[in-house]
Amino acid sequence: MSLAAHEARVAHDLACLNLPGGDWTRPRGHAEGHVYDAVIVGGGQSGLGAAFALLRERVSNILVIDENPPGCEGPWDTYARMITLRTPKAITSIDMGVPSLTFRAYWEALHGPEGWAALDKIPRGDWMAYLRWYRRVLDLPVRNDTRLALIEPLTPGLFRLALADGGSLIARKLILATGIQGGGGWHTPPMIADALPREHYAHTSETIDFDALRGRRIAILGAGASAFDNAQHALAAGVAAAHVFVRREALPTVNPIRFMEGAGLIPRFAALGDAEKYAFMASFFDRNQPPTNDTFQRAAAYPGFELHLGSPWLDVAERDGAIAVKTPHGTFDYDFLILSTGLVTDPALRPELARVADRIARWRDRYAPPSGANPLIDAHPYLGQGFQLQPRDPADAPLLHGLFSFNYSALISLGLSAAALSGLKYALPRLGTAVADQLFLDDRDGFIADYLRYDEPEFVGRWERQAEAAE
């Protein structure tokens, strides 16, 4: 089957599901211009999936905005440096139960069933190509090169979105589908930021000129999967040495996500109580996610690779034109540092939330663990069952009504549903229902009044014998 023939199959499947159907929402007006029922911030896999979830709810007065140029949304063509995705190839995500929209169906249209059988994991570039195709075949309304600068509440349930270019949008609902960093910011340890000029280090989330590092020595801090992604990428690009430093005495070997995928924990995590969620995620953070076997072996195969276990960085400093990294096992010199040090989640770190961040409930406001607080968990927003941001003070509920955090900050409240590719198949219906329910309940009086006034005849039959007797 050709891709064109497959796209005809997609169109037929959508027509069979009567998608997109006619909108039921009630139009709003505003002096500043068009009012969208929902604006989705982020045009990556979560944002595109959120748009389709709303279309399935017959909500089409929507817009997706993304700060990147077309085709560069999300991490896949920017800072993601793995060769293949880490998730199993058979996991479905943003197809919303439409078989022809799955990655497998897309891949088989290009490479046939034999090609799918031969595929081990999804290549990163092919996943990005699939996202571009998904956007195109569904004709999703995406505006690129558009960055949200500030969210300004107007009236309860209505927001002005100030854009970086000076423009603005008006929306009833705002969905922050801003990915892994969208709930806070990437973390650079002060020990490094305070000691070194900025040109001597980069976070794995940033653009790195690996060509300029050809023949140089780099050190990578962190045990996460991205540390090894960057090590193999750097070595393939020609760096002379890539040394990974890990605080732990041994690399993690167990990936808890694999258990969660098979045990029903991802779709039903939201049903747990707060104490169970807190304990679960404390364990999740402690376990960490190991590198994939293929990524580790690819990095380890280079003669310039070195793994330093039990080696936290005690100090870094410039010395004789090099960067000296001090560990419990000695001091080593490098030309450049790469930090795989993760992120910090806290709404206060997001500039677009500056007007409302102090009104948003965090986990520390709603739950106190008997075993002691975990600051990493406590700073996460405490979300509703449909990804709604919740108020710290009930009086602020109208201010936040209509704000949805569909990014990594949902991890504690709703598990991996919106924080991992394997969770999107469960998260998207939950989000779509929650947004549509709010739109409906906001206008319930009008819907009920219209129902009570409704008197359009449908039955037009006439019982002839009764009519003759009456004559």
Side-chain angles (χ1 to χ4, degrees), residues 269-282 362-370 377 382-385 412-414:
F269 183 87
L272 296 174
D274 285 354
E276 295 163 318
K277 291 179 180 179
Y278 201 99
F280 194 99
M281 283 303 160
R362 278 40 165 215
W363 266 81
R364 62 174 173 261
D365 300 316
R366 300 296 178 89
Y367 178 72
I377 293 178
Y382 187 95
L383 301 182
Q385 291 283 300
I412 313 303
S413 298
L414 294 157

Side-chain angles (χ1 to χ4, degrees), residues 38-382:
V39 169
I40 301 163
V41 183
Q45 58 198 23
S46 295
L48 297 178
F52 186 43
L54 291 179
L55 292 177
R56 287 189 65 112
E57 294 284 352
R58 294 170 49 213
V59 178
S60 66
N61 177 27
I62 62 175
L63 179 68
V64 180
I65 62 173
D66 193 280
E67 63 186 4
N68 296 297
C72 297
E73 304 84 358
W76 309 112
D77 268 354
T78 53
Y79 65 83
R81 298 184 179 103
M82 71 282 281
I83 292 179
T84 63
L85 272 60
R86 301 183 188 119
T87 47
K89 69 175 184 180
I91 284 180
T92 57
S93 56
I94 57 176
D95 52 87
M96 292 288 291
V98 180
S100 58
L101 283 175
T102 61
F103 179 83
R104 174 175 179 171
Y106 164 80
W107 185 267
E108 289 186 346
L110 293 172
H111 306 287
E114 300 82 5
W116 176 256
L119 184 67
D120 177 29
K121 293 181 181 176
I122 299 172
R124 172 170 54 88
D126 289 291
W127 180 254
M128 187 66 222
Y130 165 70
L131 295 178
R132 296 187 187 108
W133 173 81
Y134 178 95
R135 167 180 168 175
R136 178 177 63 79
V137 78
L138 290 175
D139 193 24
L140 298 177
V142 183
R143 182 188 299 179
N144 287 95
D145 299 308
T146 303
R147 182 170 67 84
L148 172 64
L150 186 66
I151 300 167
E152 302 176 86
L154 297 176
T155 58
L158 197 65
F159 302 93
R160 177 190 294 115
L161 312 182
L163 305 177
D165 63 3
S168 64
L169 300 168
I170 306 297
R172 297 177 61 185
K173 308 299 171 190
L174 180 62
I175 301 168
L176 300 174
T178 41
I180 189 170
Q181 78 278 17
W186 298 105
H187 174 59
T188 297
M191 174 187 70
I192 297 167
D194 296 343
L196 298 176
R198 191 65 182 83
E199 63 269 19
H200 288 346
Y201 66 89
H203 196 279
T204 55
S205 65
E206 297 175 307
T207 299
I208 301 175
D209 186 357
F210 285 98
D211 288 337
L213 296 175
R214 192 183 301 274
R216 312 299 293 277
R217 302 158 300 168
I218 67 170
I220 303 172
L221 177 62
S226 65
F228 297 91
D229 291 338
N230 278 265
Q232 61 86 24
H233 185 91
L235 289 162
V239 303
H243 291 194
V244 175
F245 288 79
V246 178
R247 181 182 67 252
R248 303 170 188 236
E249 295 293 337
L251 289 177
T253 58
V254 175
N255 188 346
I257 296 177
R258 297 291 88 86
F259 174 81
M260 296 162 71
E261 289 167 350
L265 280 167
I266 294 179
R268 273 159 279 282
F269 183 87
L272 296 174
D274 285 354
E276 295 163 318
K277 291 179 180 179
Y278 201 99
F280 194 99
M281 283 303 160
S283 170
F284 182 78
F285 286 165
D286 185 61
R287 285 178 174 229
N288 208 342
Q289 184 180 5
T292 59
N293 291 307
D294 55 338
T295 296
F296 179 81
Q297 295 299 336
R298 192 176 294 113
Y302 286 93
F305 177 80
E306 190 70 44
L307 178 61
H308 298 257
L309 295 170
S311 299
W313 288 4
L314 304 177
D315 186 48
V316 297
E318 284 189 276
R319 185 179 67 183
D320 300 328
I323 304 166
V325 174
K326 181 181 179 181
T327 78
H329 305 292
T331 300
F332 306 87
D333 290 342
Y334 297 97
D335 300 304
F336 193 75
L337 308 182
I338 295 179
L339 311 178
S340 179
T341 45
L343 62 130
V344 176
T345 296
D346 187 339
L349 298 175
R350 300 304 307 173
E352 66 271 15
L353 292 173
R355 295 279 179 89
V356 297
D358 60 340
R359 315 293 184 91
I360 295 171
R362 278 40 165 215
W363 266 81
R364 62 174 173 261
D365 300 316
R366 300 296 178 89
Y367 178 72
S371 58
N374 183 320
L376 287 177
I377 293 178
D378 291 343
H380 284 69
Y382 187 95

